[in-house]
Amino acid sequence: MAKNKIKEKINLKSKNILVILLALILLFAVIFFIKSIISGSKGISQIEEVDENSYDSSKVMRIDLSDIKSIKLNLKTADLRVEKTDTNPYIEYTNLYKKDKDNAYELKAKINDGNLDISTKVTGKELNMKNKIQILKIYLPKDSSLSKFKGKIGSGNAIVEEMLANNVDFIIDSGNMTFKDSTISGDLTAKAGDIKFDNAAFNTGLIKTDVGNIKIKDSEFGSDVEIESNIGDIDVSLNDEIKNYEFKAFLNVGNFRIGNISYRNIKNGFSKKSEARHKDTKYLTLTTNVGNITFNKNEVIEKTTEDEKSTDKKGKLRGDPLEGKERIMNLEEYENQNADETQEDTQTDQDYDENYDTTYDGDTAQDDTTGQTYTDNNGY
């Protein structure tokens, strides 16, 4: 009898524990279900709020023009496309609206004697663009050139094709700009974004990014070009040969490659003299704070000489030339490697190009062919 009573008590306790567990499971399930309903309703509410504060309709506008001599842009958020047309020039753009409300995101265009001026106009509260973005397309006549192209875009990407312009001043705060089959001069700035050239020509001026890469592909440079990036890579591939350029390069963190030769630790600068003297010389300056610099990486050039060196302000050699497989060399190794050549040469402490007289004072050299003397006081 005692054993039966003990078994009954154990069975009763087991049943009670089972009931309690089932109740807890049911309670957790109810709580989870209620939370799911609440979070779902919040998600729907958030979506509805976004929709309520977004433009929900658009309208494509077109304005035919007789001529375009210059362009001035002041856009907040928009994508830009510039290209040529076989017909008369025109502009096409998208305006955004909120139905049943006085909210509009429009472009206003003014034209006066071929001078085109386009700016953003916001009516009412500025709303979200959601899946709609404003697009401005400018179609230029064939064989035309612009006397001036000045523009600023707050946020958006720009693609410019077949444009000829001598005076360009173009800034994008957030976004990329690309130039294809175009010939321009002036200043280009992308504060947060990339700048690209593809089969284009940049005659003279500044190409600059604060945070972003600069890539020049199959293009040409004119007489004086500066390229600068605070944080980003600079990759330049030109149709012209390296020997036609007299240039300087500066970087703090990153690698520098000219043709098939690489360098490291050129914080104090790298300079190379041009073989095309006087009027045919082209000047190029490449600068980045953090990033790599590459100039015509597929071109084969001779190894480092006096005309290709990294220097400090006093003209002393700095940096580690890395040839072929980029073997690391420090300054002491480099100087020891060239010590015998230096003693045999009548020059003071570096090799000079074989086309120049080996007797010189400081940075002065003489051309054996013409007899003309060249002087460089800055180690350039």
Side-chain angles (χ1 to χ4, degrees), residues 48-62:
E48 290 177 349
E49 184 177 352
V50 170
D51 289 339
E52 181 66 21
N53 290 283
S54 300
Y55 298 106
D56 55 13
S57 63
S58 61
K59 184 177 181 181
V60 177
M61 310 292 292
R62 171 170 169 156

Side-chain angles (χ1 to χ4, degrees), residues 4-29:
N4 291 334
K5 287 183 179 181
I6 292 173
K7 287 183 180 181
E8 288 178 359
K9 288 182 179 180
I10 292 173
N11 291 334
L12 181 61
K13 287 182 179 180
S14 299
K15 290 180 180 180
N16 291 338
I17 292 172
L18 182 61
V19 171
I20 292 172
L21 288 175
L22 290 174
L24 288 173
I25 293 172
L26 180 61
L27 178 62
F28 282 126

